[in-house]
Amino acid sequence: MSGVQFGELPFLKEDLQVWSCAYSPDDKSLAVGLSNGEIRLYSTSTWEKVRVLGGHRRRVVSIAYSPKGDRIISGSCDDTSRLWDVDSGTSIFTVSGNDKHVNGVAFSPCGSSFACGGGYTVKVWDAATGECQLILIGHRGSVLSVAYSPNGHVIASGSHDKSLRLWDMQTGLCIRTMSGHTGAILAVAYSPGGERIASGSWDHIVRIWDVETGACVHVLAGHAGWVNGVVFSPQGDTIVSASDDRTVRIWDAEAGTCRQALTGHTDYVTSVVFLPKGNRIACGSADSTVRLWDIGSTGTRQIAIGDRTEVLAIKYSPHGHQSASSSANGSIRLWDVEKGDCRHILTGHTEWVRSIAYSPQGDLLVSCSDDSTLRLWDVETGVCRQSFIGHSGYVYDVAYSPQGDRVASSDRNGSVRIWDVGTGECLFILIGHTDWVSSIVYSPKGNQIASASDNGFDNMIRLWDVDSGDCLYHLSGHDSGVASITYSHQGGLLVSSSYDTTVKLWDVETGDCLHILIGHDSYVRFAVFSPQGGQVASGGADGFVKTWDVGTGERLHILDGHTDRVTSIIYSLQGDRIVSGSQDKTIRLWDVASGQCRAVIQNLDTIVTSIAWSTVPGANCFVAGCRDGSMYMWQVVEVGCECHVRMQWNWRGISGELKVEDTLIQDVRGLSRLNTQLLVQRGAVGEPFVRLCETSKKVTSMVSVLSALKQPAIEEAPGSSSSDNLATEQPESEQLEQEPLQVESSAIRAVSGISEPTGRDPVLTSQK
């Protein structure tokens, strides 16, 4: 039995070659294009076949979902494109006219049009009428791939003529031609921010291009065959490529280095797509399979057993003795900040927990999830007291009222809801946003709520009266999505940061924009007030933290040190320090008065996703959560002019690779159905012990192995159910001269790769 890496999942077995695949925007379905012209839709929760779309006469080489997920556009070697209704499975209309195979299709970000590449042209069609709106002419070879920019203003196309072209959607003119590949360009993909493009080619190379200058930033070499597919992760830090060499490679988008090569396909890999949430990829292959991988946060650590998943949010309790962290696997952990012990693991959500908030008294915690619910938890017992049901889509943010009697939540469908904490009743539904609402916050007095959307089609901030539910002001002025909103501690001002690279200060009494803070070269993900309210700090994708005077709008300091985008910033409780985390895998401590860096925490081996400063006066410590699921607590110690940051505690799950051979899983307890199916596909024999409540129990077999190797125990995230479409293959197992390791009446022989957490201890650098 070959090695099983953490993150490897059972695969879908088709009876035909797989030429394309695409995830729906809500992650709930996967579309697979086959060599006979069919498109098959699968549920990602059960992996059962939901629907078959039939109509194409030859293989389907490209598929794309509309932004709302209700339509699919497909391109085929029968020289046509078809628009499909997902719910009914019917073809709405068929377009042709590219004269040759339709090799690439893409929906515009707003969903009103789609582009098809084939022959020597790219054609843009109206998604409602099927009329051709634009024909982009200039390539001297067949167009093999197309992609819209995130704002929809530009289309990128790759061609058999070895060039990559950018087209202006207003004029239809080619605004840039990028050359460098020595073979046909089979795949193109934009980064989430639109500043980079990745391309894959016959020349076995992936290139990363700077959109603004047209320069090639990185040449990613490693494949031994044509590169058929490329895709950026939703965070933009990772690129995944699929190749004729039967491998899928995971690359660091910034460093241009290969993190890992995924093997398992037995024929060329035709396509690769990211789950919109970003932690899973699907790879289609000519071997008639679709393989699924949880690639983890950095692409080098994969997870299938346990709960080592991205920390999405961290909050300190009001009294400061406890902190809470939410995770991409649906769990919430409550931590004793003195000892670093995990006191409770709160389970109940079935999807990402995007936001959490403590009650003002600190005895309750509210959470919101992609499973469309809110939950209210008792932090002493870990018991769920209340579920708030009413949202019809992902719930993106949640906020507690200062009085503690209400919570507010926002969702994917553009609504904001106000709930009664005691009864769970929805008091108001605030309607006005035209797209998802990603941020909500109560004013310090509790009489007002601010809400904002980070989708580029809304760009609006709305201020609501909490007693009447009326919209008091709609604050317009940002030219792109609003990434964050924060009230000043006194409540009279609001600061917003945006993907348009600006920060704006607003008067909440009048709705007037007081200052526009300009200085970042890329989108600004965060902006926060200092505790005293006289300053604002902003963190951008350009890697800079900048401080601003609230009264004048003038820039005070540029905090220069990070080499990649800033992922989190926070002021200390006293307001004299700023802590920032970055995608460069460092944490920096800054002096607010001088703008100087006082300390650097390096070699974290992972990206910092969230930071919270202690709410205890004088404690001088902060907690950081990371994309690989690890947690750290640091204390700031200042002696004279020197500053030191000391790690108080850290928590890590297991990582790396599990090598298993000659495996018997008979009567093994605690294996989820998903992991059972994976082990069977890799040659394991026997039937595991199954309980009715299996998915809620610990992975006892793995815990026993870990205990034997002096590893910390972990709990299993609920497993997914398998279906008949999950194939079984039984490669020959090697006989090893080694005694079996007995695990609860079963044997797992030749286990290797479970080791102490990989990576070096974080290095702390103090600076005078």
Side-chain angles (χ1 to χ4, degrees):
M1 176 175 170
S2 58
V4 178
Q5 293 171 305
F6 287 107
E8 186 178 358
L9 302 173
F11 54 84
L12 292 171
K13 178 66 177 177
E14 297 287 1
D15 52 354
L16 298 160
Q17 289 183 327
V18 178
W19 282 89
S20 53
C21 51
Y23 273 109
S24 63
D26 62 5
D27 310 336
K28 293 181 180 179
S29 64
L30 179 74
V32 178
L34 301 174
S35 58
N36 69 344
E38 287 184 355
I39 301 169
R40 297 177 184 176
L41 306 185
Y42 291 91
S43 166
T44 57
S45 60
T46 64
W47 293 110
E48 294 178 353
K49 189 190 304 177
V50 177
R51 193 165 286 110
V52 177
L53 312 182
H56 284 298
R57 299 186 306 277
R58 298 185 65 187
R59 64 178 178 262
V60 179
V61 294
S62 55
I63 306 174
Y65 274 90
S66 65
K68 292 183 178 179
D70 57 340
R71 300 284 188 268
I72 286 176
I73 184 67
S74 58
S76 169
C77 289
D78 64 7
D79 303 346
T80 68
S81 299
R82 286 178 176 260
L83 186 70
W84 307 85
D85 181 85
V86 172
D87 290 333
S88 66
T90 58
S91 176
I92 299 173
F93 55 72
T94 302
V95 298
S96 58
N98 285 87
D99 301 326
K100 290 188 178 181
H101 303 342
V102 180
N103 299 306
V105 295
F107 256 105
S108 65
C110 63
S112 62
S113 62
F114 58 86
C116 302
Y120 289 7
T121 66
V122 177
K123 293 191 175 183
V124 181
W125 306 85
D126 188 293
T129 66
E131 295 179 357
C132 184
Q133 297 176 323
L134 208 57
I135 302 177
L136 312 179
I137 301 173
H139 280 296
R140 299 186 303 277
S142 294
V143 178
L144 303 176
S145 53
V146 293
Y148 273 92
S149 64
N151 60 15
H153 298 163
V154 178
I155 283 180
S157 60
S159 168
H160 200 284
D161 64 11
K162 308 174 188 177
S163 73
L164 175 65
R165 288 177 178 259
L166 304 185
W167 308 87
D168 187 293
M169 286 296 89
Q170 295 296 320
T171 64
L173 298 177
C174 179
I175 55 178
R176 179 163 286 112
T177 301
M178 305 177 190
S179 300
H181 282 294
T182 58
I185 298 176
L186 299 172
V188 293
Y190 268 95
S191 65
E195 70 277 2
R196 298 283 173 87
I197 293 176
S199 58
S201 168
W202 281 5
D203 61 11
H204 308 177
I205 297 295
V206 177
R207 287 178 178 263
I208 305 178
W209 308 86
D210 185 281
V211 172
E212 187 68 26
T213 65
C216 180
V217 179
H218 291 297
V219 177
L220 312 183
H223 281 298
W226 292 1
V227 180
N228 300 311
V230 292
V231 62
F232 276 92
S233 66
Q235 295 82 15
D237 59 332
T238 301
I239 292 174
V240 180
S241 57
S243 171
D244 273 8
D245 65 8
R246 305 178 184 181
T247 70
V248 175
R249 285 184 175 262
I250 302 172
W251 309 85
D252 187 303
E254 294 300 321
T257 56
C258 182
R259 294 172 176 163
Q260 191 170 5
L262 307 180
T263 59
H265 283 295
T266 59
D267 208 334
Y268 48 87
V269 188
T270 56
S271 60
V272 60
V273 290
F274 252 104
L275 191 75
K277 293 178 182 178
N279 61 338
R280 183 174 293 182
I281 57 173
C283 313
S285 170
D287 65 7
S288 302
T289 67
V290 177
R291 288 186 179 264
L292 311 170
W293 294 84
D294 274 320
I295 68 165
S297 60
T298 63
T300 57
R301 295 176 185 150
Q302 303 185 330
I303 51 174
I305 302 171
D307 64 345
R308 186 179 171 85
T309 54
E310 180 174 353
V311 177
L312 301 177
I314 298 177
K315 293 291 173 64
Y316 261 98
S317 63
H319 53 67
H321 301 307
Q322 186 186 84
S323 65
S325 62
S326 67
S327 155
N329 69 357
S331 69
I332 302 161
R333 289 178 179 264
L334 303 183
W335 304 88
D336 184 316
V337 297
E338 296 291 333
K339 302 177 181 178
D341 295 337
C342 179
R343 303 299 301 272
H344 294 292
I345 301 176
L346 313 181
T347 59
H349 286 298
T350 58
E351 298 286 349
W352 283 25
V353 180
R354 291 183 179 269
S355 182
I356 50 178
Y358 276 96
S359 65
Q361 296 76 25
D363 57 336
L364 299 173
L365 182 83
V366 66
S367 59
C368 68
S369 169
D370 282 5
D371 64 10
S372 305
T373 69
L374 285 76
R375 287 177 176 263
L376 189 69
W377 309 87
D378 186 304
V379 300
E380 288 299 321
T381 65
V383 173
C384 179
R385 285 192 179 181
Q386 186 80 258
S387 293
F388 303 89
I389 300 174
H391 286 288
S392 58
Y394 299 165
V395 187
Y396 282 146
D397 203 6
V398 65
Y400 236 110
S401 68
Q403 293 76 23
D405 58 340
R406 296 180 179 184
V407 294
S409 57
S410 63
D411 68 20
R412 182 188 181 98
N413 297 319
S415 70
V416 175
R417 292 174 180 254
I418 301 177
W419 309 82
D420 184 286
V421 170
T423 65
E425 178 188 357
C426 181
L427 303 176
F428 295 106
I429 302 177
L430 312 181
I431 303 296
H433 286 286
T434 58
D435 217 316
W436 65 65
V437 182
S438 52
S439 304
I440 54 170
V441 59
Y442 268 94
S443 65
K445 295 180 181 178
N447 62 328
Q448 194 180 88
I449 288 176
S451 60
S453 172
D454 65 3
N455 187 295
F457 302 106
D458 187 294
N459 306 346
M460 196 70 67
I461 303 167
R462 291 181 177 268
L463 304 183
W464 309 86
D465 185 285
V466 298
D467 293 323
S468 66
D470 295 334
C471 181
L472 302 174
Y473 299 105
H474 51 88
L475 312 181
S476 59
H478 283 298
D479 296 328
S480 190
V482 180
S484 70
I485 49 174
T486 307
Y487 278 96
S488 63
H489 295 272
Q490 294 74 26
L493 300 176
L494 185 82
V495 64
S496 60
S497 66
S498 170
Y499 289 92
D500 66 7
T501 75
T502 69
V503 177
K504 292 178 183 284
L505 284 168
W506 309 85
D507 186 312
V508 300
E509 296 298 326
T510 64
D512 294 334
C513 180
L514 303 178
H515 298 294
I516 302 176
L517 313 181
I518 300 174
H520 285 283
D521 296 328
S522 188
Y523 65 85
V524 187
R525 186 64 185 86
F526 304 97
V528 294
F529 279 99
S530 64
Q532 294 76 21
Q535 280 189 16
V536 162
S538 58
D542 55 8
F544 294 113
V545 177
K546 302 190 177 187
T547 57
W548 312 82
D549 186 279
V550 169
T552 64
E554 294 181 356
R555 187 179 64 211
L556 299 174
H557 295 292
I558 300 176
L559 312 185
D560 184 4
H562 287 300
T563 58
D564 207 331
R565 68 192 65 180
V566 177
T567 57
S568 187
I569 55 172
I570 193 167
Y571 276 92
S572 65
L573 199 62
Q574 297 77 20
D576 58 340
R577 298 285 183 262
I578 290 174
V579 179
S580 60
S582 169
Q583 200 154 300
D584 64 9
K585 303 176 184 178
T586 69
I587 298 173
R588 287 180 175 264
L589 180 72
W590 308 88
D591 180 77
V592 171
S594 66
Q596 297 298 308
C597 183
R598 300 300 308 277
V600 183
I601 301 169
Q602 303 180 80
N603 295 337
L604 287 170
D605 293 328
T606 185
I607 296 170
V608 179
T609 55
S610 186
I611 298 175
W613 194 278
S614 173
T615 53
V616 177
N620 245 20
C621 54
F622 61 90
V623 173
C626 301
R627 192 166 289 170
D628 67 354
S630 57
M631 294 276 295
Y632 299 88
M633 181 174 176
W634 309 87
Q635 185 172 22
V636 179
V637 180
E638 300 191 44
V639 180
C641 61
E642 291 190 352
C643 180
H644 302 275
V645 182
R646 297 174 181 170
M647 186 169 65
Q648 299 294 97
W649 54 262
N650 75 306
W651 179 89
R652 293 184 180 186
I654 62 171
S655 65
E657 187 176 279
L658 175 64
K659 295 288 188 181
V660 189
E661 300 201 13
D662 191 20
T663 305
L664 176 68
I665 58 173
Q666 184 67 37
D667 295 329
V668 171
R669 297 171 183 264
L671 275 180
S672 70
R673 292 182 181 179
L674 191 67
N675 290 321
T676 299
Q677 185 65 33
L678 173 61
L679 291 173
V680 169
Q681 285 182 345
R682 304 308 290 271
V685 295
E687 292 291 333
F689 180 87
V690 178
R691 297 177 185 156
L692 293 177
C693 56
E694 192 65 73
T695 56
S696 65
K697 300 298 183 182
K698 291 184 178 180
V699 190
T700 53
S701 61
M702 292 305 301
V703 171
S704 299
V705 175
L706 296 176
S707 297
L709 297 174
K710 299 183 179 180
Q711 288 290 337
I714 55 174
E715 292 194 358
E716 184 195 66
S720 303
S721 61
S722 61
S723 74
D724 293 338
N725 293 304
L726 294 173
T728 302
E729 65 177 15
Q730 306 239 352
E732 294 182 2
S733 300
E734 297 179 4
Q735 285 295 102
L736 299 183
E737 296 181 0
Q738 184 171 347
E739 290 295 321
L741 174 64
Q742 298 295 328
V743 184
E744 292 196 12
S745 303
S746 64
I748 297 180
R749 289 187 276 273
V751 178
S752 65
I754 306 180
S755 59
E756 292 295 328
T758 59
R760 298 156 289 178
D761 288 334
V763 173
L764 300 96
T765 304
S766 63
Q767 301 186 6
K768 293 185 179 182

